[in-house]
Amino acid sequence: MLKCIHGVYMSEIKVNKIVVGEITGFTKYGIFVKLDNDYTGMIHISEISDNYVEDIEKLFVIGESLDCRIMAIDEEKKQLKLTIKEFNKRNKRNKTL
C-alpha cells in the first residue's frame, strides 16, 4: 500500500503538492530530506524563510519531519526541489530566524 501524505499518494508526486520529508543532513546552502519512497529532496537556504537564515543547524535537527511543497521534480534522479517558506510563515520558528 502506498503511503498517503496530506492526501497525496507518494506515486502521485507533482509540482505544488505538499509532502512530508525527514531531515537527513545539512550543508551551508540547505537541508537534505528523505521521503517515504525512493525520492530525496533539497531545501535551498533561500527556500526556508523570507528572513535571513544564518545557521540552519540552530533551527532544525536531523530526523525532524517537515511539511514541504514540491517546486520541481527530477524523475530520472528521483530528486525534488522543495520549499518550506509558507509553513515557516505560519509558525513561531520564522520569528527566530
Side-chain angles (χ1 to χ4, degrees):
M1 185 75 165
L2 296 170
K3 185 168 183 180
C4 183
I5 299 173
H6 295 290
V8 178
Y9 286 95
M10 298 311 289
S11 67
E12 299 174 355
I13 288 182
K14 295 180 181 166
V15 172
N16 287 322
K17 295 290 184 181
I18 297 170
V19 294
V20 175
E22 180 182 328
I23 296 175
T24 59
F26 303 105
T27 68
K28 62 183 176 185
Y29 56 84
I31 301 170
F32 292 104
V33 297
K34 170 96 174 92
L35 281 70
D36 284 342
N37 54 17
D38 294 332
Y39 286 87
T40 58
M42 171 67 172
I43 306 166
H44 189 268
I45 196 166
S46 66
E47 293 300 328
I48 294 172
S49 173
D50 289 328
N51 298 326
Y52 175 74
V53 177
E54 186 174 334
D55 188 350
I56 297 169
E57 292 184 59
K58 288 184 179 177
L59 301 172
F60 303 94
V61 295
I62 291 179
E64 181 177 350
S65 292
L66 296 173
D67 287 341
C68 308
R69 183 172 300 279
I70 300 172
M71 297 174 58
I73 304 167
D74 182 332
E75 287 288 349
E76 190 173 302
K77 294 180 181 178
K78 298 225 180 237
Q79 294 177 338
L80 307 174
K81 181 179 176 184
L82 304 166
T83 182
I84 59 172
K85 275 187 184 182
E86 68 188 87
F87 305 107
N88 284 330
K89 288 178 183 178
R90 292 185 226 154
N91 67 35
K92 295 178 183 176
R93 185 180 319 217
N94 196 42
K95 295 176 184 172
T96 63
L97 297 176

